[in-house]
Amino acid sequence: MSIHVSGGGRTLRRVVLSCDVAGCPVQLEPPVIEAWRNDADARSWARDHAAGWTSDPIRNTDYCPEHARFSTAPAAGTVPPRPTAAARDRAGNPLNRDEYVKHLQEHLAGRSTEPTMMLTAAHATVAARLLDELAGVYRGESLGQLAQELSEILDSRSGDRS
């Protein structure tokens, strides 16, 4: 949410709600009111008059009706979706990391009898260190575990651990 001061010499304020989901262009400007006691009062008033909008007071974020679900905490025991950073489906949407790992593991299992490709020791070392970094970023997730396992395989074959 943003609060804009407008008017020549006057201190009328405009409140504009902006959806805090990355890439969402939706904004809403509730009807202008002449004065508020303070900015917190203006925010509260705007949120109360934005039909269908929700907010997360802990993160101080606002969500348009289409993204309202992001303001509610997931049910106990539910793992929120974890999108991939680069891998996308045909429509351009990020994949769920856990589903992506299953796909990669199936890909590895299906290709276990194919001829192996040769890497130089330097290539294997660099690939293993990149996989270590990926494993560190996704520590505790299946994607991180797969990266760690592949790093160990590369290290055992190249004999270089630096």
Side-chain angles (χ1 to χ4, degrees):
M1 172 183 312
S2 58
I3 297 178
H4 304 280
V5 178
S6 62
R10 298 182 61 190
T11 58
L12 291 179
R13 293 171 182 259
R14 291 179 36 227
V15 176
V16 178
L17 288 174
S18 300
C19 184
D20 288 313
V21 170
C24 182
V26 176
Q27 292 187 330
L28 174 73
E29 185 174 352
V32 177
I33 187 170
E34 289 195 20
W36 292 284
R37 290 185 300 265
N38 55 41
D39 289 350
D41 187 39
R43 287 184 183 99
S44 176
W45 183 88
R47 286 179 176 137
D48 289 346
H49 290 83
W53 284 65
T54 59
S55 64
D56 181 342
I58 294 170
R59 292 182 290 190
N60 197 27
T61 53
D62 298 289
Y63 302 96
C64 67
E66 182 181 347
H67 296 112
R69 67 188 179 280
F70 291 112
S71 65
T72 57
T78 302
V79 176
R82 297 183 290 214
T84 55
R88 302 282 191 249
D89 64 15
R90 291 178 192 253
N93 299 312
L95 303 173
N96 179 297
R97 290 197 298 260
D98 294 326
E99 293 171 7
Y100 185 53
V101 168
K102 289 176 187 172
H103 169 74
L104 292 174
Q105 289 170 330
E106 290 169 2
H107 187 73
L108 284 172
R111 302 222 171 187
S112 62
T113 59
E114 290 183 9
T116 59
M117 187 170 94
M118 300 301 290
L119 292 176
T120 67
H123 288 140
T125 299
V126 169
R129 296 303 68 81
L130 290 171
L131 287 166
D132 287 341
E133 185 65 21
L134 182 66
V137 169
Y138 296 112
R139 186 178 315 277
E141 291 187 29
S142 54
L143 186 59
Q145 182 62 37
L146 178 62
Q148 186 62 45
E149 290 168 8
L150 290 174
S151 171
E152 290 168 4
I153 290 169
L154 288 172
D155 282 336
S156 70
R157 293 190 180 167
S158 71
D160 187 347
R161 181 84 176 155
S162 54

